[in-house]
């Protein structure tokens, strides 16, 4: 715990626009998004919840970080997710 959330809340109370990248990270994983499609194509549909088809982040994490080539798989996932998060951040900044 480094206090980022506490500082973000304090800045928000002072009127600063705060972008919650954790929240944005969750939205890019949602079914129907380009990121969702790319992740499923890259890591297979066995990472999905059977009930609702959403990405099971624990299954995805086990597949990525439990792989013999975990570093390569992590970079592969980051290469899919981070550009989408960056797009969301830039959009929020433009809208501010």
């Amino acid at each position: 715990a480094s206090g980022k959330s506490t500082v973000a809340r304090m800045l928000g109370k002072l009127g600063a626009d705060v972008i919650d990248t954790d929240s944005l990270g969750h939205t890019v994983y949602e079914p129907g998004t380009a990121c969702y499609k790319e992740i499923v194509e890259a890591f297979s549909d066995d990472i999905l919840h059977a009930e609702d088809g959403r990405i099971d982040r624990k299954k995805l994490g086990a597949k990525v970080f439990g792989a013999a080539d975990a570093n390569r798989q992590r970079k592969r996932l980051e290469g899919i997710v981070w550009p989408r998060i960056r797009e969301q951040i830039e959009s929020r900044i433009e809208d501010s």
Side-chain angles (χ1 to χ4, degrees):
S2 62
K4 294 183 296 234
S5 296
T6 301
V7 172
R9 275 192 303 277
M10 291 169 64
L11 291 171
K13 286 180 182 179
L14 294 172
D17 289 327
V18 177
I19 299 172
D20 182 351
T21 56
D22 287 337
S23 175
L24 292 178
H26 287 279
T27 64
V28 300
Y29 280 82
E30 289 295 315
T33 64
C35 188
Y36 172 92
K37 182 179 176 190
E38 285 186 57
I39 292 170
V40 174
E41 287 175 359
F43 296 99
S44 82
D45 62 359
D46 64 350
I47 61 165
L48 302 177
H49 284 285
E51 313 82 50
D52 59 10
R54 294 183 180 280
I55 292 174
D56 182 326
R57 293 170 69 110
K58 288 184 181 179
K59 288 181 183 177
L60 176 60
K63 187 168 235 184
V64 169
F65 298 106
D69 60 344
N71 193 44
R72 186 174 74 81
Q73 295 301 323
R74 178 186 53 80
K75 288 180 181 179
R76 184 179 184 196
L77 179 60
E78 288 173 351
I80 296 169
V81 174
W82 275 103
R84 297 305 195 289
I85 293 173
R86 209 171 292 117
E87 289 169 3
Q88 293 287 326
I89 291 168
E90 290 169 359
S91 176
R92 297 268 174 114
I93 291 170
E94 288 173 8
D95 292 345
S96 294

